[in-house]
Amino acid sequence: MSAFTVSDFSTIPRYYTALAEWLSCMLLVSTFYNQHRLRGWRMAAASAAGLAALELELILTDSLPVSLWSVGMAGSAALMLALLLTCLDLRPVEGGYVLTSGFMLAEFAASLSWQLYYYYAAYLAGEEQPLAALVTVLLTYALVFGVYGVLSRRSCVDGRCIVVGRREMLAAAVVAVLFFIISNLSFLFPDTPFTSHYAAEIFNIRTLVDLGALAVLFAMYFQQQELHARYELDAIQTVLETQYVQYRQPRESIDLINRKYHDLKHQIAALRAETNPQRRDEWLDAMESDIKVYEAQNKTGNSILDTVLTSKSLYCQKHGISLTTVADGTLLNFMDAMDICTIFGNALDNAVESVLKIQDREKRLIHLSVSGERDFVLIRVENYYEGELTFEQGLPRSTKGDDRFHGFGVKSIRYSAQRYGGTVSITTERNWFDLKVLIPKNTNKK
């Protein structure tokens, strides 16, 4: 039997195309499970509305002339983007980047399913069979979306979309548009050396070009993911080194102050033995009392923690911040100096940054504690805050403008805690920000 031509049933029914686009969006929504904007029945309602909108749009634009066919496809892409941005907590640039893969995935699934059905109907059955078309489409969709779902889940970072900028989004969009035009060129311009009148050849071109587009876009996504992971690791390492440098810098100054105070104690004893005016005695008593207070503060039993706390305490006193500490530093003796500096330095820096925004100095409160909880060390840093906090991946969003790469302070704390098998949790209640770090006692660093 001879092959059918374009005028036969080589065109994919619009409702099957709409179903492929909807399934592609739902697959992306399930892949980025930690960025869901909606939950429960709201997610189900938005998904159902998205399917209805895609089906209606493609059916209504089915009667458009070929010259306006691209307008209908642009409308479908816009609806897919709207569905993604409704269901996922993405910036428009990130949504556009994700859309490129989703749109080409839908095109590939629809083209492959109808190519298989066309081969069966044209060369084996010799006639159209709607039931066979439905079965072929459903089985092909299950295979394509299932394989892509496994691959995307394995390459996904913590169930969230990687952070991309406008340049990356435009590059992916250019790739998707070019491949889409090439794959459908035979429908618009069949009389060229690169196109065909025959359905089988059209399907071969379209399916293979769409598959190539998916491969290119997936490679781009994987590369962006690697770059993003490398950037985060470098940024966290910079934070680690910065906190350690901040610890080393005041160490010499604090040692010098300790020596000066030690010498001053001997001077006071000598002065007391030489003269006994009443006012001088009162003055010397006050000096000695101050020295005792200084010696007592921030003496936790861990010299590294003492240095960090002394440095932060001096800064808090200068800026009207009340920092209270109840810490058994001996519990931290199994930890490296850099990890102690990272956890306490970043935790206190974040707390200080938060309370400095409060105009009422009476509310500039920070409390730090280190205690033993059975076989664990519990590090807790609490501070009062004002305003609204939003979280992403369990981390507070940055309030510094560009939140594309946010939360490196908390990420570095988590990184240090995980080296000992520890965990980090953050809760907020009644304007109190509560950071908890739980680390197993006497655990070897990983």
Side-chain angles (χ1 to χ4, degrees):
M1 174 178 292
S2 62
F4 290 83
T5 63
V6 174
S7 60
D8 296 308
F9 55 97
S10 60
T11 302
I12 306 171
R14 309 283 276 185
Y15 46 85
Y16 284 143
T17 302
L19 178 61
E21 293 172 348
W22 180 78
L23 288 173
S24 182
C25 289
M26 292 299 98
L27 176 60
L28 293 171
V29 169
S30 65
T31 299
F32 303 124
Y33 50 87
N34 278 333
Q35 286 189 255
H36 283 184
R37 187 188 299 274
L38 304 177
R39 304 281 180 179
W41 69 267
R42 291 183 176 85
M43 177 67 78
S47 302
L51 175 60
L54 286 168
E55 292 283 0
L56 183 62
E57 192 273 339
L58 283 174
I59 292 174
L60 291 178
T61 58
D62 191 24
S63 58
L64 291 177
V66 175
S67 58
L68 296 178
W69 169 76
S70 59
V71 176
M73 298 310 298
S76 297
L79 288 175
M80 291 179 68
L81 178 60
L83 180 57
L84 290 172
L85 294 179
T86 300
C87 297
L88 295 175
D89 185 15
L90 300 176
R91 297 180 301 125
V93 170
E94 295 167 346
Y97 185 85
V98 171
L99 172 66
T100 58
S101 297
F103 185 79
M104 294 310 302
L105 175 62
E107 285 292 301
F108 171 71
S111 179
L112 178 61
S113 64
W114 206 247
Q115 180 178 5
L116 295 175
Y117 167 66
Y118 177 84
Y119 178 83
Y120 167 79
Y123 294 97
L124 300 179
E127 61 181 358
E128 295 188 54
Q129 295 187 357
L131 180 59
L134 176 62
V135 172
T136 303
V137 167
L138 294 180
L139 290 178
T140 306
Y141 283 5
L143 177 63
V144 170
F145 291 114
V147 171
Y148 192 87
V150 171
L151 294 176
S152 60
R153 281 294 183 95
R154 288 183 177 180
S155 62
C156 184
V157 181
D158 298 329
R160 60 187 176 91
C161 175
I162 62 171
V163 180
V164 295
R166 184 177 302 176
R167 180 181 301 176
E168 293 81 7
M169 187 272 290
L170 290 176
V174 168
V175 170
V177 170
L178 287 178
F179 274 87
F180 177 74
I181 293 174
I182 295 172
S183 68
N184 292 279
L185 201 59
S186 293
F187 289 100
L188 301 176
F189 307 103
D191 298 317
T192 71
F194 308 101
T195 56
S196 175
H197 284 273
Y198 295 99
E201 296 176 358
I202 292 174
F203 277 121
N204 285 333
I205 295 172
R206 182 165 56 183
T207 301
L208 293 177
V209 170
D210 289 344
L211 179 60
L214 276 180
V216 172
L217 290 171
F218 195 84
M220 292 175 62
Y221 177 80
F222 188 77
Q223 183 183 39
Q224 289 296 328
Q225 191 178 70
E226 288 289 323
L227 292 174
H228 180 70
R230 190 179 306 169
Y231 178 89
E232 277 204 346
L233 185 60
D234 290 344
I236 291 174
Q237 188 63 34
T238 300
V239 173
L240 296 177
E241 294 174 354
T242 300
Q243 289 296 336
Y244 189 64
V245 168
Q246 290 180 359
Y247 155 72
R248 292 292 300 272
Q249 287 177 342
R251 176 75 263 179
E252 295 180 0
S253 299
I254 293 173
D255 288 342
L256 178 61
I257 293 173
N258 287 332
R259 288 197 299 270
K260 292 294 184 181
Y261 270 93
H262 182 74
D263 294 340
L264 188 59
K265 288 168 61 178
H266 294 289
Q267 295 172 7
I268 292 174
L271 290 172
R272 188 183 295 275
E274 292 178 0
T275 180
N276 292 310
Q278 184 177 359
R279 292 185 61 185
R280 180 62 59 83
D281 284 343
E282 293 175 356
W283 178 66
L284 293 174
D285 290 339
M287 290 180 60
E288 192 171 22
S289 177
D290 290 340
I291 292 172
K292 291 180 180 179
V293 171
Y294 175 81
E295 288 181 335
Q297 73 177 8
N298 297 329
K299 298 297 182 182
T300 66
N302 185 287
S303 61
I304 301 167
L305 180 59
D306 293 345
T307 302
V308 175
L309 290 178
T310 300
S311 175
K312 303 302 181 183
S313 297
L314 294 174
Y315 184 88
C316 288
Q317 292 175 12
K318 181 179 179 180
H319 293 83
I321 300 172
S322 175
L323 171 61
T324 57
T325 302
V326 179
D328 182 1
T330 59
L331 296 172
L332 308 174
N333 290 338
F334 67 95
M335 296 178 62
D336 284 353
M338 181 173 288
D339 293 320
I340 296 175
C341 295
T342 297
I343 293 175
F344 289 93
N346 282 294
L348 290 173
D349 284 348
N350 290 342
V352 168
E353 180 183 348
S354 177
V355 299
L356 281 177
K357 300 175 183 178
I358 303 175
Q359 297 298 323
D360 186 356
R361 294 201 170 197
E362 295 295 327
K363 296 181 179 181
R364 294 183 178 180
L365 306 174
I366 301 175
H367 178 70
L368 180 147
S369 64
V370 179
S371 59
E373 300 288 338
R374 295 186 179 180
D375 295 328
F376 295 88
V377 177
L378 175 61
I379 302 169
R380 191 170 182 177
V381 179
E382 305 168 86
N383 67 271
Y384 189 82
Y385 74 93
E386 292 181 345
E388 297 293 332
L389 292 179
T390 56
F391 288 79
E392 177 181 326
Q393 298 294 300
L395 305 180
R397 277 187 178 272
S398 173
T399 58
K400 300 177 181 178
D402 185 5
D403 63 348
R404 299 190 327 169
F405 302 101
H406 73 283
F408 283 126
V410 180
K411 286 180 181 178
S412 59
I413 294 174
R414 179 180 292 172
Y415 175 77
S416 292
Q418 288 176 345
R419 298 172 73 185
Y420 301 88
T423 59
V424 176
S425 63
I426 297 175
T427 57
T428 56
E429 184 178 0
R430 296 181 181 178
N431 291 98
W432 275 99
F433 185 93
D434 191 355
L435 169 69
K436 297 187 186 74
V437 182
L438 195 64
I439 301 176
K441 290 181 179 178
N442 303 318
T443 303
N444 294 327
K445 182 181 65 175
K446 295 181 180 179

